[in-house]
Amino acid sequence: MPPRPIRHFTKPAIDFTQQLQKLQARGLVVADEPRALRYLANISYYRLSGYWGSFLVPGTSQFQPGTTFDDILHRYQFDKQLRLLCLEAIERLEISFRTQIIYHITRYTGDNNWYEQARFFKRGTPAEQAASSKLLSTIRGELDRAKSKTFIADYYHFYDQPRNPPAWMVLELLSFGTLYNLFTQFVDTTPKLAIANHFNLALRVFDSWMQSINDVRNKCAHHDRLWDISMKPMLSNQRGHAGYWLTEHNVTAINTKIYYTLSIFNFLMVKVSQTSSFGRRVVALLREYDLITPGLHRQHMGFPAGWDQEIMWLEP
């Protein structure tokens, strides 16, 4: 097969006025041009382009008749509010996850500084050895960068041994990604089973869900589009609260859509806080931005038929 010819990107950069004119030429209705230009100057044409795909005539770059600039902003603002709602849930779940790791692994090892010892991490293969070495290096780096923090500085001021602070201090410095990496690389499953059990989940399912939460956290932190994305397939819950997890028969067929991830958040948030309002707030957000009536929640977010009859989504 002959090599593919080199292709060059040749589209020129255009100013905000030209960007708006381009949208209008494609059929977008713009009632207030100065206002639209302000949005383009502060959000960017390219970022907004991720939100107007569903407003185009299929197979073309033309907007459906009557589509307005405000329609696109409305969709953008819904996604922003969804990210904020997820970030709020992730904060609660991350703190709980961190607490469980500190509690169970520290008690299991009997070593306050287990986080810096290679013997507690998987090292059976060269790949595992490299991964654990990188993890320990990352933790040391985080600790070095945090030595000016009051609680870390106080430790070094008052104590000489052990050389570094205990796990319940150091793990507070770690990102969710590093925390999840530490959890997966810990060599013994006994404390990990206890952590998963705290959330009423099998270990394999819990591991899959934590990876998904970390992925969503990264997307939210970088302001990526969330509402209609495709996720990595996730395992189904096998040991959840009786009658609480999803009963939808084809749930495994939609576990790459944000509906499944929102269901995971809803399930876990009830464990973290029995008075959680996460589910009600998701439904309220869908209604506020009118995604349910036209079926956009099903078409783009993976909500299945009958989702509103699931126990976790029923309003009290």
Side-chain angles (χ1 to χ4, degrees):
M1 179 180 295
R4 191 189 70 186
I6 296 175
R7 295 173 294 180
H8 296 278
F9 183 86
T10 59
K11 293 182 180 180
I14 58 178
D15 63 30
F16 296 127
T17 299
Q18 291 172 312
Q19 292 172 11
L20 186 58
Q21 290 171 346
K22 183 176 180 179
L23 291 174
Q24 290 172 309
R26 293 167 57 184
L28 186 66
V29 177
V30 181
D32 188 336
E33 292 187 3
R35 175 172 172 269
L37 287 170
R38 287 196 298 273
Y39 275 108
L40 287 173
N42 289 285
I43 297 177
S44 91
Y45 180 100
Y46 185 73
R47 179 174 290 275
L48 283 176
S49 71
Y51 296 92
W52 65 54
S54 61
F55 293 105
L56 299 178
V57 176
T60 77
S61 61
Q62 293 295 118
F63 288 97
Q64 297 174 13
T67 302
T68 68
F69 191 81
D70 280 351
D71 289 333
I72 298 169
L73 285 179
H74 196 67
R75 191 68 47 79
Y76 173 84
Q77 289 161 352
F78 165 75
D79 195 47
K80 174 184 175 181
Q81 294 304 318
L82 183 65
R83 284 199 305 271
L84 291 174
L85 185 56
C86 287
L87 274 173
E88 184 179 329
I90 289 167
E91 177 188 3
R92 299 288 300 273
L93 297 175
E94 179 178 339
I95 290 172
S96 180
F97 182 37
R98 192 185 310 272
T99 300
Q100 288 294 307
I101 289 178
I102 293 170
Y103 179 80
H104 286 289
I105 296 184
T106 305
R107 284 168 57 89
Y108 177 78
T109 61
D111 187 334
N112 290 349
N113 292 63
W114 57 268
Y115 63 87
E116 57 185 352
Q117 299 189 43
R119 64 191 176 93
F120 288 123
F121 298 93
K122 297 175 182 178
R123 298 182 63 83
T125 67
E128 289 177 342
Q129 292 174 20
S132 64
S133 296
K134 182 178 179 180
L135 171 64
L136 295 178
S137 177
T138 297
I139 295 173
R140 287 193 297 271
E142 292 295 331
L143 181 55
D144 287 341
R145 285 188 288 273
K147 286 185 177 179
S148 62
K149 287 183 177 289
T150 301
F151 69 101
I152 297 296
D154 283 350
Y155 177 87
Y156 289 115
H157 177 75
F158 289 107
Y159 304 101
D160 300 310
Q161 295 294 330
R163 178 182 175 184
N164 292 319
W168 54 85
M169 293 185 185
V170 174
L171 266 63
E172 289 291 341
L173 306 172
L174 305 185
S175 68
F176 190 98
T178 302
L179 199 68
Y180 170 71
N181 198 11
L182 182 149
F183 174 82
T184 58
Q185 290 195 46
F186 191 79
V187 70
D188 201 310
T189 60
T190 300
K192 294 196 287 188
L193 284 167
I195 294 167
N197 186 63
H198 172 77
F199 295 95
N200 289 344
L201 293 170
L203 180 55
R204 289 175 60 250
V205 175
F206 179 73
D207 185 276
S208 174
W209 285 14
M210 288 299 105
Q211 183 178 17
S212 175
I213 290 173
N214 185 48
D215 290 344
V216 171
R217 184 186 186 278
N218 290 338
K219 289 182 180 297
C220 291
H222 292 92
H223 320 298
D224 287 349
R225 195 170 80 253
L226 186 64
W227 80 292
D228 63 345
I229 61 170
S230 292
M231 306 287 295
K232 294 178 181 178
M234 291 160 279
L235 295 176
S236 177
N237 172 24
Q238 300 164 348
R239 297 176 52 214
H241 297 293
Y244 186 75
W245 182 241
L246 303 171
T247 58
E248 178 67 24
H249 295 301
N250 66 346
V251 70
T252 54
I254 57 171
N255 70 355
T256 60
K257 303 302 289 183
I258 196 64
Y259 166 75
Y260 196 88
T261 307
L262 294 174
S263 298
I264 288 174
F265 284 163
N266 202 1
F267 175 93
L268 293 174
M269 283 295 288
V270 171
K271 177 59 183 176
V272 172
S273 172
Q274 293 183 350
T275 59
S276 169
S277 61
F278 180 83
R280 294 194 299 274
R281 293 170 68 189
V282 169
V283 175
L285 192 63
L286 292 171
R287 289 175 176 161
E288 178 184 353
Y289 284 86
D290 194 26
L291 268 70
I292 295 177
T293 301
L296 295 172
H297 64 314
R298 296 181 62 180
Q299 181 182 354
H300 296 283
M301 301 178 71
F303 279 69
W307 68 272
D308 52 349
Q309 297 304 308
E310 297 280 5
I311 292 176
M312 69 161 55
W313 296 111
L314 285 173
E315 294 191 39

